[in-house]
Amino acid sequence: MKTLIISVFILLLTACASPQQQAQVAEFNSWLTNRNAQAMAGQVMWSVYYSELWSRVSQQPNNPQKLTIMATAAELIPIARSYEAGQITKEQFHDTRRIIYSRSNQEQQKVQQRQQSINDAQAEQLYRIGNQVMQPRNPTTNCLTTRVGPNTLSTNCN
């Protein structure tokens, strides 16, 4: 579940990223995969993993989902410390993680829906503007005719 959340984050980051940002995201993705595997295998403490995750996500380019991921990592740090201190069991830790990931996933879906609504509204606005620009115009002419001489008229139109 967590990998899915982070993968969506990475996908959104790379969608509009410069080559330098894409390299940064690729490095982050590699780190995430390796570090998560280490935490699952017990080679890295969960609190260290979540602290590093928070730090690394905070350094990534802005993204609508960035704050949600940072908040999830921040929420999991003290829970991981409780688990590491023996205050909660492994099952309680994993149950709590699952609940937090679920809530985070729901929040990210809401963010994606809001972002899609914004994108749809912007697209509709651009479509309307484009149509207005492309509409043929019926120019209205304002003409002023003045007598310049006994048999001569001068007409100026705008």
Side-chain angles (χ1 to χ4, degrees):
M1 176 76 70
K2 180 181 179 308
T3 306
L4 174 66
I5 293 169
I6 299 298
S7 297
V8 169
F9 175 70
I10 290 168
L11 178 65
L12 290 172
L13 283 176
T14 58
C16 299
S18 70
Q20 181 183 15
Q21 289 172 329
Q22 288 178 353
Q24 185 181 12
V25 170
E27 187 275 328
F28 172 80
N29 190 24
S30 175
W31 171 86
L32 177 68
T33 302
N34 294 332
R35 205 59 163 168
N36 191 15
Q38 290 174 337
M40 292 292 233
Q43 297 169 342
V44 173
M45 293 181 5
W46 283 106
S47 60
V48 171
Y49 169 73
Y50 289 121
S51 295
E52 290 175 354
L53 175 63
W54 186 93
S55 178
R56 286 182 174 254
V57 169
S58 71
Q59 295 171 11
Q60 295 297 311
N62 283 336
N63 176 283
Q65 309 228 350
K66 179 178 179 175
L67 294 178
T68 304
I69 295 169
M70 289 175 63
T72 300
E75 190 174 3
L76 285 165
I77 292 169
I79 293 166
R81 288 184 181 145
S82 294
Y83 168 59
E84 294 160 359
Q87 297 169 343
I88 62 174
T89 66
K90 183 177 184 174
E91 292 77 26
Q92 290 171 319
F93 173 65
H94 288 295
D95 286 346
T96 305
R97 282 180 61 225
R98 191 171 38 256
I99 291 166
I100 291 171
Y101 288 151
S102 176
R103 189 176 62 229
S104 176
N105 190 33
Q106 290 172 355
E107 180 60 31
Q108 286 193 356
Q109 287 174 351
K110 289 178 187 176
V111 168
Q112 287 174 338
Q113 290 170 348
R114 282 192 300 258
Q115 189 63 42
Q116 187 61 47
S117 296
I118 291 168
N119 291 346
D120 290 349
Q122 289 173 341
E124 177 66 25
Q125 185 177 19
L126 289 173
Y127 175 76
R128 288 178 190 210
I129 289 171
N131 277 347
Q132 289 172 357
V133 169
M134 300 304 288
Q135 295 269 335
R137 296 182 185 236
N138 295 330
T140 55
T141 53
N142 296 321
C143 296
L144 178 64
T145 303
T146 342
R147 185 172 294 276
V148 193
N151 297 329
T152 310
L153 297 175
S154 171
T155 305
N156 292 325
C157 297
N158 308 14

